[in-house]
Amino acid sequence: MKKITLIALAFVAFSCSTDYEEKNLKSVSIAEIAKATPELSTFVEALEITGLTETFDAQGDYTVFVPDNAAFSSLLSALGATSLADVDPVLLADVLKYHVLDSRVLSTDLTDGATATTLLGQDITVNIDTTADEVTITDGNTITSDATVIARDIKCSNGIIHRIDTVLLPNLGS
């Protein structure tokens, strides 16, 4: 009887912790999640440089395709820059806005070939390979390859984060 009681208590304890953790995660903003995730420190730095941190701390309904540190490193290397400080802040703000949709979009809401207009006003295209269970995003530029979604559906108080492995670049014209 004691074993059954202990098993029942353990089951209840672990069941409750999952709900509690998910509720806590949902009460944390996009900016707070990014700040707490070491792999997103360059994204946080970009938000600070451009003054967009407050936007992602405030209430709202956003979907953000957040490039990880390796994605920013690859882009900086391709640009011949050593840090984000070498990039024009206005251009950096435009690049960040190109990663944001003005509504919550879960991965289950995405369809192959769908386009979505970003806060910058330019479209991105979703590509879904159901065989490989892979989602990629095509940007408006030919400089970078498609970004692969490497973490999906991170729910925040003000939106959804999808972590990607490449910085999306808008069409910057000539």
Side-chain angles (χ1 to χ4, degrees), residues 39 66-77 164-168:
E39 296 85 4
V66 179
D68 60 17
N69 293 347
F72 277 105
S73 286
S74 293
L75 178 64
L76 289 172
S77 178
I164 57 176
D165 67 351
T166 304
V167 176
L168 301 171

Side-chain angles (χ1 to χ4, degrees), residues 106-126:
L106 294 168
S107 62
T108 54
D109 299 328
L110 300 173
T111 58
D112 188 42
T115 59
T117 303
T118 66
L119 287 186
L120 187 61
Q122 293 186 30
D123 290 345
I124 57 174
T125 304
V126 175

Side-chain angles (χ1 to χ4, degrees), residues 14 31 42 46 55 60 62 80 84 88 140:
F14 287 113
T42 308
T55 301
Y62 302 106
L84 288 177
D88 174 26

Side-chain angles (χ1 to χ4, degrees), residues 16-48:
C16 293
S17 67
T18 303
D19 291 339
Y20 176 74
E21 288 169 7
E22 186 168 331
K23 287 178 186 174
N24 278 344
L25 187 60
K26 287 181 184 178
S27 67
V28 178
S29 73
I30 292 167
E32 291 171 316
I33 291 286
K35 288 176 190 173
T37 308
E39 296 85 4
L40 303 180
S41 62
T42 308
F43 175 74
V44 171
E45 180 184 354
L47 290 178
E48 291 169 357

